[in-house]
Amino acid sequence: MSDSLTQKIRNDFDLIALHDREGWDHNNHYHHFLLKQLPAQCKTALDIGCGTGEFSRLLAKRVEKVFAIDLSPNMIEVAKQRSRMFSNIDFQVADVLHWEPIVEQFDLIVSIATLHHLPVESLLPNLKATLKPGGRLVILDLLEHENLRDQVSDFVAIPLNWLFQVLNNKHLQQSPEAAAAMREHLRTDHYLTLSQAQRIYTSSLRRAKVRKHLFWRYSVVWEKSAAA
């Protein structure tokens, strides 16, 4: 990833953070699913692209120590403000491509709507090395349509999306500034199709479970061999 694109992503999310309002969205809809993937013995976790720290706080209720990193200083500042009651979260401004954690440091590595910004195939070996034996890598990311079946699923996803927005976000009004910031960011976003995700992850992670989810997301769950 070029330095100019990295800087744009940082700037985009610095601006998005200024207008963030907590509410239902396509990412936190799957938080319960992600929490169910935690390994039985989970003491340390890394949250890559933690944003405002919503999932980091959920992890902190179940894990002894959470390390949460994000490229955006403003996102990290908002995350710290909203997480003051949690003493077991370490928020850091960091680029995971240049971050050097300790080998076999984490029981869990999780990333939500972040890896589409990154060169996944070159990043995965480092994530594998950072996991403890028996640790788990859990990913949720955005998905690009590739066939008619994906388009048909929109007949369910679109009305359900509207319903959840009305039920959960009826008191939240997105400002024009927030909408403009997100439109600008989405202008340069690119996503994997399900078949691309399956090829990339299963070629690097033996027995990785890659599945499609309704609200334009896919997940990856992979457990590192305890004998590693």
Side-chain angles (χ1 to χ4, degrees):
M1 186 166 63
S2 67
D3 291 341
S4 60
L5 181 56
T6 299
Q7 185 61 51
K8 181 188 183 301
I9 293 170
R10 181 185 293 112
N11 292 343
D12 286 349
F13 280 102
D14 273 346
L15 187 56
I16 290 169
L18 299 178
H19 303 286
D20 181 76
R21 295 179 135 191
E22 293 180 288
W24 178 87
D25 60 36
H26 300 147
N27 294 323
N28 61 30
H29 180 79
Y30 294 106
H31 281 180
H32 179 67
F33 165 80
L34 297 174
L35 290 172
K36 289 173 64 176
Q37 312 310 316
L38 269 63
Q41 301 296 324
C42 191
K43 295 183 178 180
T44 56
L46 171 64
D47 186 357
I48 300 172
C50 64
T52 58
E54 184 178 3
F55 192 70
S56 301
R57 290 187 287 276
L58 294 178
L59 282 177
K61 297 177 181 179
R62 297 163 172 81
V63 178
E64 290 183 10
K65 185 69 176 180
V66 178
F67 296 84
I69 64 175
D70 199 279
L71 192 64
S72 162
N74 286 357
M75 283 288 184
I76 290 295
E77 183 57 35
V78 173
K80 288 180 177 179
Q81 292 174 4
R82 294 180 182 177
S83 309
R84 289 173 180 165
M85 66 182 65
F86 294 92
S87 61
N88 60 334
I89 309 178
D90 181 5
F91 287 107
Q92 298 179 20
V93 178
D95 182 347
V96 70
L97 296 178
H98 301 100
W99 194 64
E100 297 183 2
I102 301 169
V103 172
E104 296 187 356
Q105 182 178 4
F106 299 109
D107 297 300
L108 172 73
I109 298 177
V110 64
S111 181
I112 300 175
T114 297
L115 292 197
H116 65 274
H117 297 128
L118 302 168
V120 176
E121 289 173 284
S122 59
L123 177 62
L124 287 177
N126 290 336
L127 299 185
K128 290 168 63 176
T130 305
L131 273 177
K132 295 178 182 178
R136 285 187 183 173
L137 174 65
V138 180
I139 295 165
L140 183 78
D141 216 314
L142 286 80
L143 193 66
E144 184 71 39
H145 282 356
E146 67 178 324
N147 54 39
L148 180 61
R149 185 174 61 180
D150 290 337
Q151 296 176 29
V152 169
S153 71
D154 283 353
F155 286 101
V156 177
I158 290 174
L160 275 181
N161 173 64
W162 176 84
L163 179 62
F164 281 126
Q165 291 282 0
V166 170
L167 293 176
N168 296 298
N169 296 338
K170 57 185 175 182
H171 300 303
L172 295 176
Q173 295 295 324
Q174 188 180 46
S175 68
E177 294 82 5
M182 184 55 71
R183 282 197 304 270
E184 170 57 28
H185 174 66
L186 293 177
R187 186 175 63 82
T188 53
D189 254 6
H190 299 282
Y191 315 123
L192 297 175
T193 64
L194 183 62
S195 61
Q196 288 172 331
Q198 289 171 331
R199 176 184 59 79
I200 290 172
Y201 288 104
T202 58
S203 65
S204 297
L205 308 173
R206 187 179 179 187
R207 294 190 297 273
K209 298 178 181 178
V210 183
R211 59 176 287 191
K212 180 183 184 295
H213 295 271
L214 182 63
F215 290 120
W216 307 284
R217 297 295 184 273
Y218 73 90
S219 66
V220 182
V221 179
W222 176 73
E223 183 171 309
K224 187 172 182 178
S225 170

